Amino acid sequence: MKRRKQLTLILLILVALALRIWYLRINPLLPQFSNADDGDYYRRALRLAVTGHYVDDAWLIRPPFHVLIFAGWIRLALAAGRSPDVGVRLIQAFQAGLGVLMVPLCYVLAGRLFNRRAGLLFAALWAIWFPFVELPATLFSEPIYLFLFTLHIWLLLRFDDLGRRRDLVLAGLVLGMAALTRSPALYALAFAAPWLFWRALRSGATGRSAWSWGAIVPALRAAARPYVPLVVATLLVVLPWTARNWVVYHRIIPIDTLGPINLWLDLGGPGERDAKIRALQAVPQADRQGLATQKVEAILAQDPLRPVRGMWPTFQHIWKAQFVEDYFVKRSFFTRPLRGAAPLGLPGDLIWLVFTFAGFLGILSPATDRPFKVVTGLWLLYSIVTVLVFHVEPRYLLPIWLLLGLYGAGALACLPGFLVAFRRRAVRGLVTAAALFLVAALFVTYRDYPVIVARGIRREGEMWRGDAAYSRGDYQTAAAAFQAAIRVDPDFVDAHESLALALSAEGRAAEGLSVVRPGDSRRSALVAGVLRRATGDLSGARQLLKPAEDRSGEDAQHWSQVMLRPEARTSLVLGDDALDLGYISGFGGSEQAGDRTMRWLLGEGSVILPLPKALGVGSSLLLDLAGPLPLRGPLEVTINGRWHASLTVATGWRRYHLALPDGLAGAKRLRLDLRAPTYMPALDNPRSDDARPLSVMLHRVGVE
């Protein structure tokens, strides 16, 4: 039996690794192109890796630990002569590794709290549940935080079982790192105090009856002895950062300024958030927390119940089928690969439902009554309350599901014993039944899930048919399928975008513009910009394309080159406020160099020109480019994957002509794959913070 459990655990580790590698391969999100939290973390880490300076350059002072980890991996990539993009892949691989390490950690945690069968169930939940599988793909704090949080709880549990102070010291050090990843972890110090007190009472260390008044003072003393090393170890990690904040800002900021600012942002009416952020950015970084605190105090003085108003809808929102909600209810996939992940994500909602019900059964059961339940119970209450006060975001719910999954694994592994325990505690049984009924009612009444799933399956069938037709160039069939998808789900933004692209590919760009609204999603803005370009509205296109590229959250150049069917041309000007999207990939942002617009080639890139007429014999390729940085080799040009040429690029702008091989005669599409050695200014110039891998500047590509 023991060997079978060991083999099962090894299998779960392999499954966890395989699923995370699979998801990283299908996920298009990259922090280099994001203006959300992951983009902020990436830019801080990149600056630290390149310059050695940590700067709070966004609108908040943030916890630094995960940024330091990210910077270390980016620095490793740079030291190996690779680009920061390779550093991002290393970070994702590291986070995937943490996800795999969580499998045995979950096993030993649930095994110590319950039994080995519960350990395998909890490890299986971590290994295969989709919200846990997708964590390594983005550069958020959650992968590192959840690992440290779980490790901290396991170390506390080891102390609870074995009484060794070194486990408490290690738990404190880990908690300090977790707090420097997400500052609410520091509340664990407050949650540990009642646990240690109850533990002292229950253990008989006071020499008196556990619930006598005379036992309270001795219990407090007994609890203080292990509590002190836990607190000291935690503060040893946290206080150096607090001292850094004092030196830099002359303010007492223990870790970050997230709490007051987030509370202020979430109080007030809709549409106020952007204005509040602009107000924060207008004051010095050191004063932003004070400003937010003053604003919150003014709001609460006028309306003390403001934080709790509207809590019930938010509470309902917590207990939804998350993947079904994202896949079939939301108006857009937000560039997440939900369609490809559906075979794992949809069953995952059923897994979540089972573990949620079992988790409440486990946390409320008399069979799990031991002092350690204070720690997990307080964490559950705190996590739920903070979500209610602020806002629901799936990653904020992960600690809730982790703890419910832990106790759910225990309940599923020992279900008969758990149910029998309620016979002796009738009141506890009634409370538990009421809690389970409430969760069931919340789930059933929140959405009509059978209707939603049935409608979603019909919509996805039409989307699949449309995507297949679009890929093979049958744009009329594609447009009909996308129109059918819109009839099934009129609010689905992605169907409107796909229909607009299909109509544009048929030469009906103006009609396509009528079915897509730029404000619906980031891709909608990009699609609308491209269609405006096709109709000749270059000014309108510029206003949409450059912002869409800058904040897309994914490689907009690559997506555009693969998915768009841009108008044919014999010449392309690069860098004109992203009017070149759909033709290029692997370049930096749009820039102006003197009287020319241009883009930097970031080491490797491509330009695709659909031609209005077939190439003739004797045609030539025109490249208008410059090489202002010291390159260690020539620019390599590969034409249509077969013909190769090398150019020694001189300093300053020059026009280069390459004779096209006669074998290209008759081609109606020209693909140029460009490759050149890179130079990173920030590595060699202390005054520069430009960490891009730059090679040559390209202004124009043409065929003559």
Side-chain angles (χ1 to χ4, degrees):
M1 182 64 71
K2 182 178 179 181
R3 180 174 176 82
R4 184 182 301 174
K5 286 184 170 61
Q6 290 173 341
L7 291 175
T8 303
L9 181 61
I10 292 172
L11 178 61
L12 288 174
I13 290 172
L14 295 175
V15 168
L17 176 62
L19 288 176
R20 283 152 179 80
I21 292 174
W22 159 76
Y23 187 76
L24 288 175
R25 290 178 63 87
I26 69 170
N27 176 67
L29 290 177
L30 292 170
Q32 305 94 303
F33 308 103
S34 174
N35 67 341
D37 286 351
D38 55 338
D40 181 31
Y41 297 148
Y42 169 75
R43 287 184 287 274
R44 292 177 188 233
L46 181 60
R47 176 183 286 105
L48 179 60
V50 174
T51 68
H53 300 298
Y54 184 94
V55 180
D56 295 305
D57 57 339
W59 55 284
L60 296 176
I61 298 171
R62 293 183 180 273
F65 186 73
H66 53 296
V67 175
L68 300 178
I69 299 294
F70 297 163
W73 288 109
I74 295 174
R75 184 65 190 176
L76 181 63
L78 297 177
R82 309 302 296 272
S83 72
D85 293 358
V86 175
V88 171
R89 298 303 183 190
L90 290 177
I91 295 169
Q92 292 175 325
F94 166 74
Q95 294 186 148
L98 287 182
V100 173
L101 283 176
M102 278 286 287
V103 174
L105 181 56
C106 289
Y107 172 75
V108 296
L109 174 58
R112 184 172 287 275
L113 192 58
F114 303 109
N115 57 37
R116 290 179 179 177
R117 184 183 302 173
L120 289 177
L121 287 171
F122 191 38
L125 174 66
W126 179 270
I128 67 173
W129 192 44
F130 178 70
F132 293 150
V133 170
E134 70 173 338
L135 275 176
T138 52
L139 268 61
F140 288 126
S141 59
E142 276 69 24
I144 295 175
Y145 172 72
L146 288 176
F147 177 80
L148 294 171
F149 175 73
T150 308
L151 182 59
H152 166 74
I153 288 194
W154 176 67
L155 288 167
L156 291 182
L157 190 57
R158 276 173 60 90
F159 170 77
D160 197 32
D161 288 341
L162 304 176
R164 297 186 307 198
R165 296 291 178 90
R166 67 186 183 191
D167 290 327
L168 270 183
V169 172
L170 290 173
L173 295 175
V174 170
L175 179 61
M177 290 184 280
L180 289 182
T181 305
R182 289 195 66 189
S183 57
L186 206 55
Y187 288 109
L189 292 178
F191 301 157
W195 158 58
L196 291 171
F197 173 70
W198 190 14
R199 181 177 180 273
L201 281 176
R202 290 282 297 270
S203 69
T206 64
R208 303 182 181 221
S209 173
W211 301 111
S212 66
W213 285 107
I216 292 178
V217 173
L220 288 172
R221 291 173 180 167
R225 285 193 291 270
Y227 189 62
V228 169
L230 177 67
V231 173
V232 170
T234 302
L235 296 182
L236 281 176
V237 179
V238 173
L239 288 181
W241 178 254
T242 306
R244 174 265 184 188
N245 289 338
W246 174 259
V247 170
V248 175
Y249 299 113
H250 304 291
R251 301 286 192 281
I252 298 177
I253 302 171
I255 296 175
D256 57 35
T257 57
L258 289 170
I261 292 173
N262 281 343
L263 182 58
W264 179 43
L265 291 177
D266 286 298
L267 294 177
E272 296 181 8
R273 191 178 184 90
D274 290 342
K276 290 179 176 181
I277 291 175
R278 288 193 296 271
L280 280 172
Q281 291 174 327
V283 301
Q285 179 70 267
D287 298 330
R288 294 176 187 178
Q289 178 174 332
L291 172 65
T293 301
Q294 292 173 8
K295 297 290 187 181
V296 169
E297 290 173 350
I299 292 172
L300 295 181
Q302 184 178 4
D303 184 3
L305 298 179
R306 180 64 191 88
V308 301
R309 297 188 191 280
M311 270 192 178
W312 178 247
T314 304
F315 185 70
Q316 288 179 295
H317 196 52
I318 295 175
W319 313 102
K320 62 185 180 295
Q322 186 64 62
F323 195 88
V324 169
E325 192 84 10
D326 289 344
Y327 192 29
F328 292 137
V329 178
K330 285 188 174 180
R331 300 175 64 238
S332 173
F333 286 169
F334 300 102
T335 69
R336 292 172 66 203
L338 297 179
R339 188 168 290 128
L344 183 67
L346 290 174
D349 278 355
L350 296 178
I351 295 172
W352 164 81
L353 196 61
V354 170
F355 271 88
T356 296
F357 278 95
F360 277 107
L361 180 64
I363 200 76
L364 296 173
S365 170
T368 61
D369 281 352
R370 58 181 288 182
F372 193 74
K373 189 188 283 188
V374 172
V375 176
T376 52
L378 288 174
W379 263 116
L380 272 173
L381 289 174
Y382 168 75
S383 299
I384 292 173
V385 169
T386 52
V387 167
L388 293 176
V389 172
F390 295 105
H391 58 275
V392 176
E393 194 167 325
R395 59 194 177 104
Y396 297 163
L397 300 175
L398 292 177
I400 298 174
W401 309 138
L402 189 71
L403 293 174
L404 283 179
L406 172 61
Y407 277 85
L412 293 171
C414 314
L415 191 58
F418 274 52
L419 295 177
V420 169
F422 284 111
R423 293 181 181 177
R424 298 187 296 271
R425 304 279 187 89
V427 174
R428 183 84 70 90
L430 289 175
V431 171
T432 303
L436 295 178
F437 177 79
L438 174 61
V439 173
L442 288 170
F443 180 79
V444 171
T445 60
Y446 187 69
R447 302 277 191 200
D448 190 347
Y449 284 116
V451 171
I452 288 172
V453 172
R455 183 193 67 182
I457 290 173
R458 294 198 307 273
R459 183 200 75 194
E460 286 302 291
E462 297 296 347
M463 290 297 295
W464 181 87
R465 189 166 66 91
D467 288 339
Y470 187 83
S471 296
R472 66 174 180 265
D474 185 356
Y475 303 120
Q476 186 174 3
T477 300
F482 295 137
Q483 287 169 335
I486 292 172
R487 286 194 294 271
V488 174
D489 188 353
D491 294 329
F492 189 51
V493 170
D494 295 13
H496 290 267
E497 295 166 358
S498 296
L499 174 59
L501 290 179
L503 293 172
S504 178
E506 286 188 90
R508 301 155 62 188
E511 188 176 344
L513 267 174
S514 67
V515 300
V516 63
R517 292 177 297 187
D520 283 344
S521 77
R522 295 170 184 179
R523 277 188 181 170
S524 294
L526 193 152
V527 170
V530 169
L531 298 189
R532 286 181 184 273
R533 181 185 66 193
T535 61
D537 181 9
L538 300 186
S539 176
R542 289 187 179 97
Q543 293 176 12
L544 292 172
L545 288 177
K546 192 175 190 310
E549 180 184 8
D550 292 342
R551 63 185 186 92
S552 64
E554 62 178 341
D555 189 342
Q557 292 181 20
H558 175 75
W559 183 86
S560 301
Q561 194 181 62
V562 171
M563 294 302 300
L564 303 184
R565 304 295 183 265
E567 50 274 24
R569 59 176 66 212
T570 57
S571 179
L572 175 70
V573 174
L574 278 72
D576 187 4
D577 285 339
L579 289 179
D580 48 11
L581 286 180
Y583 300 97
I584 64 169
S585 179
F587 290 85
S590 301
E591 295 185 43
Q592 188 80 25
D595 59 349
R596 290 179 173 86
T597 62
M598 65 86 183
R599 288 184 186 261
W600 285 100
L601 175 65
L602 303 180
E604 296 184 21
S606 62
V607 179
I608 298 177
L609 288 181
L611 302 172
K613 63 179 182 179
L615 279 175
V617 175
S619 299
S620 62
L621 174 68
L622 169 68
L623 296 172
D624 194 352
L625 54 86
L629 298 176
L631 298 181
R632 297 186 301 272
L635 171 66
E636 303 287 344
V637 183
T638 301
I639 304 170
N640 281 16
R642 296 176 58 189
W643 289 275
H644 306 276
S646 295
L647 288 177
T648 300
V649 181
T651 303
W653 288 102
R654 293 195 182 183
R655 184 165 296 177
Y656 297 83
H657 293 267
L658 289 176
L660 294 175
D662 291 344
L664 278 173
K668 296 205 66 175
R669 181 176 181 269
L670 195 65
R671 178 186 177 99
L672 307 178
D673 291 297
L674 308 174
R675 182 175 183 179
T678 59
Y679 172 89
M680 189 173 295
L683 285 180
D684 295 313
N685 183 358
R687 296 182 179 179
S688 174
D689 62 354
D690 191 345
R692 293 176 298 169
L694 307 178
S695 53
V696 298
M697 298 189 298
L698 189 60
H699 166 62
R700 189 163 74 94
V701 178
V703 176
E704 294 179 344

